[in-house]
Amino acid sequence: MGYITLPRRLFLWCMALIYMVAFVSLYLQIPGLYGNDGLLPARWQLRYSGKALWEQLLSSPTLLWLAPRLGLDTQTAMELLCLLGAALSLAATVLESLRDSLVFLFLWIVYLSMYQVGQVFLYFQWDSLLLETGFLCVLIAPVTSLRGWRAGREHNPVTFWLVRWLLFRLMFASGIVKLTSRCPTWWGLTALTYHYETQCIPTPLAWFAHQLPVWWHKLSVVATFTIEIAAPFLFLSPLRRLRLGAFYMQVVLQVLIILSGNYNFFNLLTLTMCLSLLDDEHIYFWLRKKYTPNPNQGSSLWWAGFVVEIAVWALIGFGTVTWFDLQINWDKWTVSSRTVFTFHQFNQFLKTVTFPSVWLGVLSLTWELVSSMFRCACVEGFFKRFLGTVQWTVFGAAAVSMFAISLVPFTFIEYDSNASVWPGVRRGYDAVSRYQLVNSYGLFRRMTGVGGRPEVVIEGSMDKVTWTEIEFMYKPGNLSAPPSVITPHQPRLDWQMWFAALGTHTHSPWFTSLIYRLLQGKTDVIELIQSDVSQYPFHQQPPTYLRAHRYKYWFTKTLADGSYPQRWWRRVYIEEFYPTVYLGDTFLESMLSQHGLKDKSLPRRVSEAAVPQVVKWVRSQVRGVSAPLLLWSLLFCSVTLCLLRGLQLEITLKTKPTAAKAEPKPTAPPHHPDAKEANSNDKDGLGQRQEEDREEVDTEEDERRGEDEESEREENDVRDELEEEEDGEEEGSVD
């Protein structure tokens, strides 16, 4: 694989953005979900039994155990941690020096702290995926605070490879579970005829996608299987063009999902992981800039590689046509498809490929380890070579360990393969499972709502005669309201309402807490339903009675003349979901007691100290603000700042390269101002400009020189000259 400097830096920048989105989205919902008057107060998860702090951290690794020692209640501590995480990740999107390993470690610890007390509202696969990817960032990001460890980064391809392996596990498992679940819609290729209207929070484009003909939906399912089952093996290919082809296949799939459904930051995170399939040369192709290839990359085997690539794509195409019996009807301009293999045949296929895919991962990782070791051996200077070897050993061992323990959740897709995993690896996985370092994945295992999309509608009344529906901001309810566009925000209550509608209310204990809090008129919970409380029908006085009914929803269809209907949805009443209750009602009290939802201890009193008051003031400033609007504003500002800094750097570089080349390089001392100007060549537009002031003292120059890691190749015309003069001052120039 070629240089991966730019994809790695772009990956870290995107991860900082995603962390910011995750923290801000969660912060806005903390009072209603986990506050003292919330649905599932987080303080119930932290039982102070008199154990030592270390024992508490081992049993449940969360920083919230420190809250009482800091004079904070659990809600305030959660808000404080989210604010710190959001502020630090926002700063990291603008300042490249903050995209540091220690910064990402702090962000990971904070999100893990939230996850430990998040209960059902944080137990989504993308939360686990963010934690696993976030921990990989700790290994991938540079340690800029330690000068010695900044010099050599020959191990970067090894740690960055772990992202490719995670992407392979995610996509391959997501495709496999669709078929191992024996869901008739996936086997019949009809899943997408239901998906668009039955997904949790569809977008307006989902309505239009739902109107497409059935043959197109079935062909789309075939494409999904190809992208999720066949294409992931190309992630581990040593051939560059195969990886690029797999990259664009994943991008198409993820973009289409974003356009048709609101899946918070999940698809953005998956796209970010796809950057591990790229190299510097392709990023330069995007930027329309000249790229000087690695002189060590020969072209003697070019034709052999090209033949292999053609053969691989032909094999994927032939397999797709054969296994799904694709036939073109030229008269009707349609493509028919059907599944021609049986479950037994697929199960045999899975047994055949699971362990070979593990060995394919072993070979791919070994190649990266050996290549990195060779680069370490080629570094000039004994000290640098020794330091690079130490780093390679440490990070290589970490990469091998992460790969090994990931085999346990990966092989969950096939029982015999999982049973064959070495017991020592299984013990290692069990030892770290509480930290969410590696996880199992499998999205859209079964298609729900085949007979209609189930929805729970809550109704309130003051006199038990006139009932008013309580409309949520994002989930379907009002038949005339268009679907929302809220990506990357995740309204966690709306998502759980979707899951609750699939079963009875006893399967969702938190629903009883929701009814109870609405009867009490708790503002924090009401804001989960309507951020603008004035839009809530009972904002002046809580309802006396509440009940819930289950309906089935369907998208409306285009009219016979091709025009669009006035409503987006149609619905049919199914049954009662939750009986009519009121405060003090026997049934309500029994359900609260049964699910342990009654307060058994008073909440900690809010301190008058400065920190709690600042947290309280920040909360007052964002109360009532639309979460999607706030997130879009932060994203726009972050991206705009980065683009402006990149544009400023581009203008600066265009005015100085001639002068930099004309300088008599052999006579310029290491700290000469002109040498510093030539060294300020960070122009990828994704990080911050590393321009140094001519009048800074030598100690400040030494600190900033490390921040120009690997960027010398971005100015290819002066790279060789800079390496001769600034030997060892650039970070990982062979990365």
Side-chain angles (χ1 to χ4, degrees), residues 18 126 129 250 253-259 261-274 443-444 487:
I18 291 172
W126 34 84
L129 183 62
Q250 300 302 321
L253 176 63
Q254 299 304 321
V255 170
L256 290 176
I257 295 175
I258 291 173
L259 294 176
N262 292 284
Y263 292 96
N264 51 81
F265 57 80
F266 168 64
N267 301 108
L268 299 178
L269 179 55
T270 306
L271 287 172
T272 298
M273 293 163 56
C274 289
L443 300 167
F444 303 107
T487 300

Side-chain angles (χ1 to χ4, degrees), residues 205-466:
L205 285 179
W207 186 92
F208 294 94
H210 184 72
Q211 313 302 321
L212 294 173
V214 174
W215 70 266
W216 179 264
H217 288 308
K218 297 179 71 173
L219 186 61
S220 299
V221 173
V222 173
T224 300
F225 283 137
T226 303
I227 294 174
E228 292 187 344
I229 297 179
F233 287 97
L234 305 182
F235 300 168
L236 307 177
S237 169
L239 299 178
R240 176 176 177 269
R241 282 188 293 267
L242 288 180
R243 293 195 305 271
L244 292 179
F247 168 80
Y248 283 106
M249 293 173 73
Q250 300 302 321
V251 168
V252 169
L253 176 63
Q254 299 304 321
V255 170
L256 290 176
I257 295 175
I258 291 173
L259 294 176
S260 60
N262 292 284
Y263 292 96
N264 51 81
F265 57 80
F266 168 64
N267 301 108
L268 299 178
L269 179 55
T270 306
L271 287 172
T272 298
M273 293 163 56
C274 289
L275 294 172
S276 62
L277 304 176
L278 303 180
D279 54 19
D280 283 7
E281 182 178 352
H282 201 67
I283 300 295
Y284 271 79
F285 170 75
W286 285 353
L287 299 175
R288 295 293 188 269
K289 294 182 181 297
K290 181 181 178 182
Y291 179 80
T292 302
N294 185 354
N296 296 324
Q297 292 179 337
S299 58
S300 58
L301 299 179
W302 183 87
W303 282 105
F306 181 75
V307 171
V308 172
E309 291 164 358
I310 295 298
V312 169
W313 291 118
L315 179 63
I316 292 177
F318 175 77
T320 302
V321 172
T322 303
W323 294 335
F324 295 101
D325 192 24
L326 299 183
Q327 296 182 7
I328 302 176
N329 186 329
W330 296 104
D331 295 331
K332 298 181 179 180
W333 286 94
T334 61
V335 179
S336 64
S337 56
R338 64 186 181 91
T339 306
V340 299
F341 54 89
T342 64
F343 179 80
H344 175 72
Q345 291 173 326
F346 177 75
N347 199 38
Q348 288 300 120
F349 162 79
L350 188 58
K351 290 177 181 292
T352 303
V353 302
T354 301
F355 247 100
S357 65
V358 171
W359 284 109
L360 181 61
V362 171
L363 291 175
S364 182
L365 176 58
T366 302
W367 172 260
E368 296 294 350
L369 286 169
V370 173
S371 301
S372 297
M373 182 177 64
F374 177 76
R375 284 192 292 269
C376 288
C378 294
V379 174
E380 295 182 0
F382 172 78
F383 177 75
K384 296 175 191 172
R385 189 183 308 115
F386 173 76
L387 184 60
T389 303
V390 171
Q391 293 187 26
W392 176 87
T393 303
V394 172
F395 286 95
V400 171
S401 301
M402 290 291 294
F403 172 76
I405 62 176
S406 71
L407 298 181
V408 177
F410 170 65
T411 53
F412 284 162
I413 60 178
E414 206 280 305
Y415 177 80
D416 292 338
S417 299
N418 184 258
S420 302
V421 174
W422 184 43
V425 172
R426 195 179 301 277
R427 287 193 297 270
Y429 169 75
D430 293 337
V432 300
S433 59
R434 72 185 66 180
Y435 303 108
Q436 303 296 311
L437 298 186
V438 291
N439 302 278
S440 60
Y441 303 99
L443 300 167
F444 303 107
R445 185 185 302 268
R446 297 187 66 88
M447 191 56 57
T448 59
V450 173
R453 172 198 182 94
E455 279 292 344
V456 173
V457 177
I458 303 176
E459 299 177 345
S461 175
M462 304 301 297
D463 54 9
K464 213 174 181 179
V465 176
T466 303

Side-chain angles (χ1 to χ4, degrees), residues 516 519 544 581-590 592 598:
Y516 182 57
L519 287 171
T544 305
V581 293
Y582 54 89
L583 288 178
D585 181 79
T586 305
F587 177 81
L588 179 61
E589 292 295 323
S590 65
L592 290 172
K598 281 192 172 183

Side-chain angles (χ1 to χ4, degrees), residues 4-185:
I4 47 91
T5 303
L6 299 182
R8 184 177 64 85
R9 295 168 74 178
L10 180 57
F11 170 80
L12 294 175
W13 181 77
C14 290
M15 284 302 300
L17 273 181
I18 291 172
Y19 261 127
M20 181 205 54
V21 166
F23 280 123
V24 173
S25 178
L26 180 60
Y27 167 77
L28 296 173
Q29 302 174 77
I30 285 177
L33 296 178
Y34 307 116
N36 297 325
D37 294 326
L39 300 180
L40 297 175
R43 59 188 175 87
W44 294 353
Q45 300 296 308
L46 303 174
R47 302 297 183 185
Y48 299 93
S49 57
K51 295 182 180 179
L53 176 61
W54 183 249
E55 294 179 351
Q56 292 174 330
L57 290 173
L58 285 178
S59 62
S60 180
T62 173
L63 296 178
L64 296 175
W65 290 114
L66 301 174
R69 290 171 171 80
L70 299 176
L72 304 174
D73 67 334
T74 305
Q75 176 183 342
T76 304
M78 290 186 71
E79 294 187 14
L80 177 61
L81 287 177
C82 270
L83 287 174
L84 290 176
L88 189 57
S89 53
L90 177 61
T93 62
V94 181
L95 303 175
E96 189 176 18
S97 59
L98 289 180
R99 281 169 240 153
D100 178 84
S101 179
L102 298 180
V103 171
F104 279 107
L105 177 61
F106 176 78
L107 296 176
W108 177 79
I109 292 175
V110 171
Y111 204 79
L112 179 64
S113 298
M114 301 294 106
Y115 181 87
Q116 293 296 324
V117 300
Q119 306 166 76
V120 68
F121 293 108
L122 265 172
Y123 291 169
F124 293 97
Q125 290 195 49
W126 34 84
D127 293 309
S128 299
L129 183 62
L130 178 58
L131 284 171
E132 184 170 350
T133 313
F135 185 77
L136 295 184
C137 289
V138 179
L139 303 177
I140 295 170
V143 187
T144 57
S145 55
L146 300 177
R147 288 185 56 198
W149 287 69
R150 297 184 308 198
R153 298 289 300 180
E154 285 75 17
H155 63 271
N156 277 337
V158 177
T159 52
F160 202 39
W161 177 90
L162 291 173
V163 180
R164 269 197 285 160
W165 174 245
L166 173 56
L167 181 65
F168 170 81
R169 288 165 41 214
L170 171 68
M171 300 309 301
F172 184 68
S174 296
I176 291 297
V177 299
K178 291 177 174 61
L179 295 174
T180 56
S181 67
R182 299 195 181 191
C183 177
T185 62

